[in-house]
Amino acid sequence: MVERVYLAKPRGFCAGVVMAIQTVERASEEADGDLVVYHQIVHNETVVHRLEKERGVRFVEDLDELKNADNRPRTIVFSAHGVAPEVRRKAAELGLVQIDATCPLVTKVHSEARRYAALGYTILLIGDSADHQEVKGTLGEAPENTILVAVHTQVGKDPRLADPRTVQVPDPEKVLVLTQTTLSVDDTDATVAILKRRFPKLITPARSDLCYATKNRQDAVRRLAPKVDLFLVLSSRHSSNGMRLFELAEKLTRARRIDAPEDLREDWFTGVKSVGITSAASTPEDLVAGTLAWLKKRWPGLVVVEEGEWERIRFRKPRPRKPEEVLAELG
Ligand code: SF4
């Protein structure tokens, strides 16, 4: 019988996700339904389906899908994960007005990649997959200078990512490490330490590339895990930060990942007295509320405990940019 539910705080939407979703909502009103978003705006199926169904937004994974003029919108939004300069160029060449909803914390990593590549450095970019949209975007800033490196616990999972223990660079005196923003804090720190031992001159960013939302959500799981028999993690399978939350919860206690309350099963709760709930930075809060309602319906007397602090960070929404403006900047 479930007696207590601990709601992790913070959980759910981060400032980058709020900015990205509001950007699409506003753009869809202005574009009167004629709007395309490149890639899932954030990695959550519910968010994407709601934007498709309620606002008529189209999502594409390849700009070639828009080559045919009959199929081409006036405006395109780039997702929170960021895009390579080549994608911006291609969209501009198609004559599309661009709204770049890349999270500013990802943009910061792009700027570091450009800056150090111009100085002739090799960039070791730690990520969880060469297919992740954020990794593709950052790699695209300096593909000639960048080597993708796996987190030390994930070596071999994606063969396109080098092992930090064996990766080679042309000049060990000129090496920089950058990371995807949503990795495991502990595993990333350990991976950077391995690289630092191998390349003592390795430059690490003044502030970690791992974002505040990733760190805060992992810290909240770490705090709550000792108190719960079962942790429920609401996250789409494609959410990097959500999957890292799930892995952390699994390491510390018993855990289940669910997309939505409909995935819950009564037999998971046999012998469970206390439940923790957290959600990825792209999971809407109504899915957490639905999960709590499912539990309360079965165990009406349960006590809900919510500890911790909400974040107060907000990001400014991006402005639309004309194709000629983008092309002039890209040179
Ligand atoms: S998870 Fe971090 S990097 Fe990603 S959108 Fe949110 S704040 Fe930005």
Side-chain angles (χ1 to χ4, degrees):
M1 184 175 111
V2 176
E3 294 172 0
R4 200 170 274 256
V5 172
Y6 290 92
L7 293 176
K9 205 167 156 189
R11 63 178 180 274
F13 282 5
C14 61
V17 164
V18 170
M19 176 275 286
I21 294 173
Q22 288 179 351
T23 297
V24 175
E25 288 174 347
R26 190 201 282 176
S28 75
E29 279 157 23
E30 285 164 10
D32 201 15
D34 187 21
L35 182 74
V36 159
V37 176
Y38 180 73
H39 194 66
Q40 293 199 333
I41 183 70
V42 298
H43 284 155
N44 184 274
E45 308 299 336
T46 304
V47 169
V48 169
H49 288 153
R50 284 176 184 169
L51 288 169
E52 281 172 334
K53 219 171 125 202
E54 294 163 17
R55 294 183 175 258
V57 175
R58 271 195 291 155
F59 290 85
V60 296
E61 291 298 323
D62 187 342
L63 290 184
D64 284 347
E65 292 175 46
L66 308 175
K67 266 187 173 165
N68 183 343
D70 297 341
N71 193 34
R72 201 176 300 157
R74 209 174 69 83
T75 308
I76 190 161
V77 177
F78 296 134
S79 79
H81 317 95
V83 291
E86 274 321 294
V87 175
R88 292 208 299 273
R89 181 186 300 282
K90 207 167 172 184
E93 285 168 356
L94 287 170
L96 302 175
V97 172
Q98 312 187 4
I99 307 177
D100 187 358
T102 303
C103 176
L105 302 180
V106 175
T107 303
K108 167 189 161 267
V109 183
H110 282 226
S111 313
E112 284 163 347
R114 279 198 303 273
R115 180 168 153 229
Y116 279 92
L119 295 170
Y121 276 73
T122 297
I123 298 158
L124 298 175
L125 174 59
I126 304 174
D128 56 13
S129 160
D131 292 324
H132 192 280
Q133 197 62 22
E134 185 185 324
V135 172
K136 288 199 226 169
T138 307
L139 172 69
E141 291 288 356
E144 307 297 328
N145 293 57
T146 305
I147 300 172
L148 300 183
V149 176
V151 174
H152 79 108
T153 48
Q154 307 284 324
V155 172
K157 212 168 151 191
D158 180 343
R160 294 165 292 179
L161 271 51
D163 183 337
R165 298 171 195 91
T166 54
V167 63
Q168 297 295 326
V169 298
D171 180 358
E173 301 284 308
K174 291 185 102 174
V175 201
L176 166 80
V177 65
L178 296 177
T179 81
Q180 197 180 321
T181 53
T182 50
L183 303 173
S184 149
V185 174
D186 296 342
D187 292 346
T188 305
D189 286 351
T191 307
V192 172
I194 292 169
L195 292 171
K196 190 86 187 165
R197 276 198 297 278
R198 295 200 51 227
F199 309 113
K201 293 277 176 65
L202 181 77
I203 294 186
T204 51
R207 280 176 53 198
S208 160
D209 292 335
L210 296 180
C211 77
Y212 77 94
T214 294
K215 287 186 209 147
N216 291 349
R217 279 152 193 69
Q218 288 179 21
D219 285 347
V221 165
R222 234 179 251 113
R223 278 196 304 272
L224 285 190
K227 301 180 191 173
V228 306
D229 303 315
L230 177 69
F231 226 125
L232 298 174
V233 180
L234 282 117
S235 169
S236 282
R237 193 176 292 282
H238 299 303
S239 165
S240 171
N241 80 84
M243 292 309 286
R244 302 298 83 77
L245 273 185
F246 174 51
E247 286 161 10
L248 178 63
E250 256 189 326
K251 216 189 278 177
L252 301 172
T253 182
R254 201 147 64 84
R256 293 276 183 181
R257 181 194 69 82
I258 55 171
D259 281 293
E262 297 76 61
D263 299 339
L264 290 163
R265 291 195 9 214
E266 300 221 6
D267 58 323
W268 293 350
F269 299 89
T270 309
V272 167
K273 284 193 172 162
S274 61
V275 174
I277 302 179
T278 188
S279 53
S282 49
T283 299
E285 182 62 12
D286 61 283
L287 300 182
V288 172
T291 301
L292 190 56
W294 188 98
L295 293 167
K296 277 185 171 167
K297 197 170 159 196
R298 281 147 187 92
W299 298 283
L302 64 78
V303 175
V304 179
V305 183
E306 200 173 17
E307 294 163 359
E309 292 293 321
W310 289 117
E311 295 145 340
R312 294 180 197 283
I313 295 173
R314 297 278 176 275
F315 293 141
R316 215 178 296 149
K317 284 186 224 26
R319 65 176 179 84
R321 302 179 76 212
K322 293 193 177 128
E324 47 282 13
E325 193 184 336
V326 175
L327 287 173
E329 183 188 278
L330 292 171

